């Protein structure tokens, strides 16, 4: 359809930039707390159209904190499951409500929606502003609901480095041991957004850098922003297949 997207195999939605955390390492910079979020109907329509033309193997929802808008996340993942997308991921900090019943209900519905890779961001940075207790509770509900879940810590310098942040992260991970949740490899913080502002001393290269940047001539992941922006267009104003057709790097 468009040679610059011939290897497209992933769709991702930044559901919202609103967040319950204020992390020092956040790549999005200071979160403005905007309530803007992707429209579920537009997202579902785009997934259906893209899947009709491309072999999408992975769909990811993240934020901000995507579970501030759980109904949207459910709708997106139900569609992904229905269309046979194999990997259906949510990245969450696990803290989106103070209401225990609500947290349990969201975990159950995530399982029913077909989420099969729940990545829980827990580490020294998240837990500076996000209380651990409700996150532990949500993790327990997720385990009980049968959702495959992994802890996804952010490491500073490397997972092996013994800086004070990593030492605290290891303590936090130990708090999850009774739940027997596997620890994923996590990610090493890169110099971008808040990380560049607050953790500069830990980076040898102070140039802004992101390992997640796409090659504009070989787009493999179609990324939707909360305001509908995708590639060089906007999913609220144009059909996603036209946006793909008209894309130029
Ligand atoms: S929880 Fe995630 S999106 Fe929210 S401030 Fe922390 S790193 Fe940023």
């Amino acid at each position: 359809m468009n040679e610059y997207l011939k290897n497209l195999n992933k769709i991702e939605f930044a559901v919202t930039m609103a967040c319950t955390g204020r992390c020092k390492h956040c790549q999005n910079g200071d979160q403005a707390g905007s309530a803007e979020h992707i429209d579920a109907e537009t997202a579902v329509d785009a997934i259906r159209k893209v899947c009709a033309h491309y072999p999408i193997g992975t769909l990811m929802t993240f934020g901000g904190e995507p579970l501030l808008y759980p109904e949207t996340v459910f709708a997106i993942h139900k569609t992904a499951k229905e269309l046979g997308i194999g990997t259906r991921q949510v990245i969450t900090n696990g803290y989106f409500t103070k209401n225990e019943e609500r947290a349990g209900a969201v975990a159950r519905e995530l399982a029913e929606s077909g989420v099969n890779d729940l990545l829980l961001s827990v580490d020294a940075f998240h837990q500076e502003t996000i209380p651990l207790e409700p996150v532990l509770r949500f993790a327990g509900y997720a385990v009980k609901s049968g959702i495959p879940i992994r802890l996804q810590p952010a490491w500073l310098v490397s997972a092996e480095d013994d800086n004070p942040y990593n030492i605290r992260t290891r303590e936090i991970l130990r708090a999850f041991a009774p739940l027997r949740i596997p620890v994923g490899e996590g990610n090493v913080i890169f110099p971008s957004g808040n990380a560049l502002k607050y953790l500069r001393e830990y980076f040898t290269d102070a140039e802004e850098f992101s390992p997640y940047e796409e090659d504009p001539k070989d787009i493999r992941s179609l990324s939707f922003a909360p305001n509908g922006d995708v590639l060089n267009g906007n999913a609220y104003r144009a059909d996603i297949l036209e946006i793909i057709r008209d894309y130029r790097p």
Side-chain angles (χ1 to χ4, degrees), residues 175-190:
F176 287 83
L179 292 170
R180 298 176 181 276
I181 300 173
V183 180
E185 62 179 23
N187 55 284
V188 174
I189 296 169
F190 53 88

Side-chain angles (χ1 to χ4, degrees), residues 39-236:
D39 172 65
E41 212 178 300
T42 306
V44 164
D45 179 64
I47 298 166
R48 288 190 188 287
K49 286 177 174 162
V50 174
C51 282
H53 295 272
Y54 292 93
I56 302 298
T58 302
L59 184 142
M60 178 195 277
T61 48
F62 64 105
E65 174 42 55
L67 296 180
L68 289 172
Y69 297 97
E71 307 300 334
T72 303
V73 174
F74 303 151
I76 288 173
H77 286 283
K78 274 180 191 160
T79 308
K81 185 179 177 196
E82 181 199 320
L83 295 174
I85 297 176
T87 304
R88 304 179 294 272
Q89 298 176 317
V90 178
I91 304 181
T92 174
N93 66 33
Y95 183 51
F96 49 91
T97 176
K98 292 185 174 147
N99 181 321
E100 268 195 58
E101 270 180 40
R102 173 90 177 131
V106 168
R108 285 192 296 281
E109 192 142 354
L110 283 174
E112 279 164 27
S113 305
V115 171
N116 61 11
D117 194 15
L118 187 66
L119 301 169
L120 189 62
S121 304
V122 284
D123 48 54
F125 302 100
H126 287 84
Q127 268 52 69
E128 273 186 339
T129 57
I130 297 169
L132 191 55
E133 275 310 310
V135 179
L136 278 165
R137 273 199 302 271
F138 172 67
Y141 292 132
V143 169
K144 213 166 147 194
S145 303
I147 311 174
I149 174 172
R150 293 182 280 156
L151 303 180
Q152 185 78 343
W155 300 105
L156 191 56
V157 183
S158 70
E160 295 73 36
D161 196 73
D162 278 331
N163 61 68
Y165 290 105
N166 286 359
I167 290 170
R168 175 74 186 126
T169 292
R170 289 182 199 116
E171 273 171 27
I172 290 165
L173 294 178
R174 278 196 288 278
F176 287 83
L179 292 170
R180 298 176 181 276
I181 300 173
V183 180
E185 62 179 23
N187 55 284
V188 174
I189 296 169
F190 53 88
S192 176
N194 275 358
L196 202 52
K197 196 160 146 192
Y198 298 116
L199 301 164
R200 185 177 283 271
E201 75 220 65
Y202 289 96
F203 301 119
T204 44
D205 184 356
E207 289 297 305
E208 187 136 9
F209 152 82
S210 167
Y212 302 121
E213 253 170 42
E214 285 274 338
D215 174 354
K217 292 188 172 154
D218 184 16
I219 301 283
R220 288 156 190 258
S221 182
L222 197 58
S223 300
F224 291 79
N227 66 359
D229 281 353
V230 53
L231 296 175
N232 296 338
N234 184 283
Y236 298 139

Side-chain angles (χ1 to χ4, degrees), residues 19 21-23 25-26 28 31 63-64 93 126 130:
C19 193
R22 293 283 179 275
C23 301
H25 70 308
C26 186
N28 300 323
Q31 303 292 308
N93 66 33
H126 287 84
I130 297 169

